[in-house]
Amino acid sequence: MRAFAAIILLLLTLTASGQTERPWDELLAETMTAEDMEAADWEDTYDMLCELEQQPLNLNTATREELEALPFLSVRQVEDIMEYLYRYGPMKSMNELRMIKTLDPTQTELLRYFTFVEDERVEPGFPRLSDILKYGRHETMANVRVPFYQRKGDENGYIGYPYRHWLRYNTSYGDYVKAGFVGSQDAGEPFFADKNKAGYDFYSYYLQIRKLGRIDNAVVGKYKLSTGMGLVLNNSFGLGKLAMLQQLGRNTNTVRPHSSRSQSGFFEGAAATVSLSAQWRLTAFLSYRPLDATLNDDGTISTIVTGGYHRTPNEMEKKNNSHATDAGTHIGYRQGGLHAGATVLYTHLDRQLCPNTKTLYRRYNAQGSNFVNVSADYGYLHPRFALNGETAVNRDGALATINSLSLQAADGMTVMLLQRFFSYRYTALYARTMTEGGHVQNESAIYLGATWKPRPDLQLQAYTDYAYFAWARYQVSQASHAWDNLLSATYSRGTWTLTGRYRLHLRQRDNETKTALTDYTEHRGRLSLTQGSARLTATTQADAVSTGDDWGYMLSETVGRQWHKLKASAGCGYFNTTGYASRLYVYERSPLYAFSFPAYYGEGMRLMLMVQSAPVSRLTLTAKLGLTRYFDRSTIGTGLQLIDSPMQTDLDLQLRWKF
């Protein structure tokens, strides 16, 4: 640990001059809350942005749908970018983004990672196959995590070895063609053994073709879809409450390849979006894919398993033991500021879905083998306001609706009002949108958020969200409510950025005898100071949480230094909490495609060192060493994950080759 501290002090003593430039993942992490970190949604979004960073969009030729795939842009900002290009022609420099008033400095900086500008050229049409094969760009990436400890399951329990590794390959030709595959393996899973005869535990593959005549976008293989505001279909990216304020409640209609290591939340088959005319677009898809499921004694499905782990014989028995067939379509119309669409989704499971409905909060969970959802999405964009919404019904006629109104109240201020109602009888297997309860079901809520820039160097954001639950929930046996509030401030001056955040979250839970509800209040706060230049960044951060009898805090420091062909990052943090209920989430830099926002609880220290080098052109090597030392326990974890030591050390190695 002394070596880690010495490296951090050395990096802090190095100075450099230049314009502030922070990594995009660090900027994006500022829009996340604790609930976002506990879901897999953001990991998929992160993987999508990692891929886009490697293959950025040309702003001068990007379509509206491509810009809408960026989760940090609102519908107003996308429209303003398109309007600027229409009015003034192709951009000559990324500095022209400063002319678009609705883009704040953070979004302008984020766009520099995922977009570029080149002179617009008239394309002769879809390229020939010979040109694609000859001039296509290729990238291969391999990653392995080596643990310097042994879990209980590694000795007796897991059927594979303790190393986690994955392999990724993709090739592309401009905006027209993209193809690739991903193979991944979790620690403890068999490799070229048991049910994994083909090697990796999970594979994803895809071929995407764009701008082929009337075919705007087509994907064969594994892919993700989102339509409307996610009441019927959204397995593309997550929408947290702070991120929703950034997006101002926009609708999305996208098809993209599934190029992440996530083993759930995707379709397998084919999907295509076709332009019927200048105003009408049609998306159709068909999918047949395996599922992991826990089965009842009669062979029906008790629960669909989404974790993707196949480390033990019991977990391996659940692998691909059920299948789902999905088919659907979305038709959309856009004319001026008006847009509208409709989605139809049909799902068939080859086994009956029969959850344990005797448990009160599961009484209205999805049941059966055939499911139908239909929705209408709509919106209107005006220079001063934007209206977006979606209303859906399931096969039983149960209703779900979400509607937002965003208003440009004054220069530098935007306000968003969002209403949502999800019947406790509404079910949709692939629905995902902004919720308090975590499911698009059993929720009626009102959300009010605002962003205000009283001066160019100061930005304030706040929201309040009140939700009512008419039916029982997990740990709540009767009707209840929740109230979530957040206030965030960011002040920038020169190369310094000061950020503060406070969140007050009130929820109700059963008392010990389940005869009445008790109030559960959670306070979370964060204060961070970042100094950045072209070659050196340093962030000092303090996090704190209080949940009644539980409390905790964490102090952390992260520094980064860049040389010509070498980048180095180091971090250290001390945490002290009373238990898991007061856990804290702190962002940590990691290799590409390795999302890291771990939870810390108890008392201990976290140390990290990451080095990235490009010894030769187009070859990048990355190594990250992470160490967590607990002071309040002699072992880490439970069950097969038990480590008979208070210290856990991992080494991540990554190789990336472009050719």
Side-chain angles (χ1 to χ4, degrees):
M1 291 194 292
R2 292 181 179 178
F4 274 99
I7 292 172
I8 293 172
L9 290 173
L10 176 62
L11 290 173
L12 282 171
T13 59
L14 299 173
T15 59
S17 60
Q19 180 65 32
T20 301
E21 194 164 312
R22 300 165 63 191
W24 66 264
D25 46 355
E26 185 175 318
L27 292 167
L28 193 66
E30 295 177 359
T31 69
M32 300 181 183
T33 61
E35 282 71 16
D36 295 324
M37 297 307 97
E38 294 174 345
D41 305 351
W42 273 107
E43 187 167 358
D44 292 339
T45 303
Y46 174 80
D47 283 350
M48 178 193 71
L49 292 176
C50 283
E51 184 170 314
L52 189 57
E53 181 189 22
Q54 304 307 304
Q55 299 173 339
L57 299 171
N58 182 0
L59 275 177
N60 291 329
T61 59
T63 64
R64 184 189 306 274
E65 289 70 26
E66 288 175 321
L67 292 176
E68 287 178 346
L70 297 172
F72 51 83
L73 292 180
S74 70
V75 62
R76 175 78 268 167
Q77 291 163 339
V78 171
E79 185 67 26
D80 286 349
I81 293 173
M82 302 297 291
E83 175 67 20
Y84 183 91
L85 293 170
Y86 175 78
R87 179 173 297 183
Y88 301 107
M91 294 185 187
K92 303 299 182 183
S93 166
M94 292 292 289
N95 292 328
E96 291 188 52
L97 290 172
R98 299 176 182 175
M99 304 296 293
I100 301 175
K101 294 183 179 180
T102 53
L103 293 175
D104 62 40
T106 298
Q107 291 166 316
T108 301
E109 185 176 346
L110 281 168
L111 280 169
R112 294 178 184 273
Y113 289 98
F114 307 112
T115 63
F116 67 99
V117 296
E118 280 186 355
D119 291 338
E120 188 176 17
R121 295 181 174 87
V122 178
E123 299 289 347
F126 195 80
R128 295 177 299 179
L129 178 60
S130 58
D131 290 335
I132 295 173
L133 296 176
K134 183 176 181 180
Y135 300 110
R137 295 183 300 177
H138 306 264
E139 179 183 85
T140 299
M141 185 178 298
N143 195 98
V144 61
R145 169 169 290 184
V146 181
F148 292 95
Y149 50 85
Q150 191 172 51
R151 300 181 181 90
K152 183 179 179 180
D154 298 328
E155 300 175 359
N156 183 21
Y158 292 152
I159 53 181
Y161 49 72
Y163 306 105
R164 175 186 178 184
H165 57 94
W166 49 264
L167 179 68
R168 175 189 299 268
Y169 166 79
N170 68 72
T171 180
S172 63
Y173 183 91
D175 297 333
Y176 298 100
V177 178
K178 180 190 296 184
F181 75 89
V182 177
S184 68
Q185 192 84 14
D186 288 309
E189 295 178 336
F191 189 57
F192 283 108
D194 208 281
K195 287 188 178 181
N196 298 340
K197 302 296 184 182
Y200 281 105
D201 180 69
F202 173 75
Y203 285 98
S204 182
Y205 60 95
Y206 55 88
L207 168 64
Q208 182 180 33
I209 295 176
R210 301 182 66 253
K211 302 178 182 179
L212 177 60
R214 289 187 175 272
I215 299 177
D216 292 341
N217 185 13
V219 180
V220 177
K222 296 184 179 181
Y223 59 92
K224 295 198 168 191
L225 276 167
S226 66
T227 64
M229 296 185 73
L231 296 188
V232 170
L233 185 57
N234 178 18
N235 57 19
S236 187
F237 55 84
L239 296 170
K241 292 181 182 178
L242 200 55
M244 178 65 82
L245 181 59
Q246 190 72 58
Q247 296 177 346
L248 297 177
R250 73 179 188 196
N251 293 44
T252 60
N253 298 288
T254 60
V255 180
R256 67 179 182 89
H258 176 60
S259 57
S260 76
R261 291 171 285 120
S262 174
Q263 299 187 35
S264 63
F266 60 85
F267 294 118
E268 185 170 5
T273 299
V274 180
S275 290
L276 303 178
S277 67
Q279 293 80 30
W280 292 91
R281 299 173 78 245
L282 175 70
T283 298
F285 63 96
L286 180 64
S287 167
Y288 178 76
R289 64 190 179 91
L291 301 173
D292 291 5
T294 301
L295 302 181
N296 297 311
D297 293 338
D298 60 358
T300 59
I301 297 174
S302 173
T303 57
I304 296 174
V305 180
T306 59
Y309 291 114
H310 306 114
R311 302 162 298 185
T312 66
N314 182 49
E315 290 177 345
M316 188 59 78
E317 285 181 5
K318 300 176 183 179
K319 182 176 181 178
N320 300 344
N321 61 7
S322 305
H323 293 81
T325 301
D326 302 280
T329 185
H330 176 271
I331 186 166
Y333 172 84
R334 183 183 295 272
Q335 177 67 45
L338 176 68
H339 64 86
T343 300
V344 179
L345 172 65
Y346 168 76
T347 299
H348 170 74
L349 302 179
D350 64 351
R351 295 177 184 267
Q352 193 90 356
L353 181 59
C354 297
N356 179 16
T357 56
K358 294 180 180 179
T359 305
L360 195 61
Y361 72 90
R362 293 174 176 165
R363 179 72 54 82
Y364 296 104
N365 281 14
Q367 302 175 55
S369 57
N370 295 289
F371 304 89
V372 176
N373 292 86
V374 180
S375 77
D377 59 271
Y378 38 84
Y380 181 74
L381 182 63
H382 183 272
R384 298 292 294 181
F385 67 88
L387 173 68
N388 290 283
E390 184 178 16
T391 299
V393 294
N394 65 355
R395 65 184 180 187
D396 301 317
L399 180 71
T401 183
I402 183 169
N403 302 277
S404 72
L405 173 65
S406 59
L407 176 67
Q408 188 74 31
D411 288 342
M413 174 176 280
T414 56
V415 178
M416 187 182 78
L417 179 67
L418 185 143
Q419 168 272 336
R420 57 190 189 273
F421 169 77
F422 313 140
S423 167
Y424 58 82
R425 296 177 181 272
Y426 180 78
T427 55
L429 297 181
Y430 307 113
R432 187 168 66 189
T433 189
M434 189 192 81
T435 66
E436 167 65 27
H439 303 283
V440 183
Q441 185 182 36
N442 185 30
E443 184 169 320
S444 181
I446 191 76
Y447 171 100
L448 178 64
T451 299
W452 182 36
K453 296 193 68 175
R455 45 189 291 175
D457 54 6
L458 177 63
Q459 176 174 282
L460 303 175
Q461 286 187 303
Y463 71 72
T464 182
D465 183 54
Y466 178 82
Y468 173 75
F469 312 100
W471 189 254
R473 304 169 60 221
Y474 177 66
Q475 295 184 332
V476 187
S477 58
Q478 56 185 287
S480 62
H481 67 263
W483 190 25
D484 188 10
N485 306 270
L486 182 139
L487 175 64
S488 174
T490 301
Y491 176 73
S492 301
R493 190 177 184 89
T495 61
W496 294 87
T497 300
L498 177 65
T499 302
R501 177 193 294 185
Y502 169 68
R503 187 184 188 193
L504 172 62
H505 203 171
L506 298 94
R507 286 167 284 188
Q508 291 184 307
R509 293 180 178 175
D510 284 332
N511 60 10
E512 292 184 0
T513 60
K514 296 186 179 181
T515 57
L517 298 180
T518 59
D519 293 330
Y520 179 82
T521 304
E522 180 180 273
H523 303 266
R524 288 186 179 270
R526 172 176 295 170
L527 186 65
S528 67
L529 179 65
T530 298
Q531 193 279 333
S533 66
R535 294 187 179 275
L536 177 69
T537 60
T539 299
T540 303
Q541 183 167 301
D543 291 85
V545 59
S546 174
T547 59
D549 296 332
D550 294 295
W551 57 269
Y553 66 91
M554 183 169 182
L555 305 174
S556 58
E557 177 74 27
T558 303
V559 292
R561 183 70 164 89
Q562 180 173 344
W563 292 269
H564 179 55
K565 291 186 176 181
L566 183 68
K567 294 181 182 179
S569 297
C572 66
Y574 171 77
F575 55 92
N576 190 352
T577 81
T578 55
Y580 184 75
S582 53
R583 61 195 177 278
L584 291 160
Y585 295 85
V586 177
Y587 164 78
E588 183 174 279
R589 296 179 186 176
S590 294
L592 199 62
Y593 295 100
F595 182 83
S596 182
F597 220 117
Y600 300 100
Y601 59 94
E603 184 185 10
M605 179 172 286
R606 173 66 178 177
L607 301 172
M608 178 274 293
L609 174 64
M610 186 172 73
V611 178
Q612 185 180 89
S613 174
V616 296
S617 177
R618 300 184 179 183
L619 179 66
T620 304
L621 304 175
T622 304
K624 176 187 174 182
L625 186 67
L627 181 152
T628 305
R629 174 69 162 86
Y630 290 91
F631 305 139
D632 62 340
R633 68 196 74 172
S634 58
T635 61
I636 302 173
T638 59
L640 295 179
Q641 289 289 94
L642 179 69
I643 301 172
D644 191 18
S645 169
M647 187 165 63
Q648 180 176 347
T649 305
D650 293 278
L651 175 65
D652 286 285
L653 299 172
Q654 185 179 98
L655 181 148
R656 178 161 55 104
W657 179 35
K658 294 183 176 182
F659 56 99

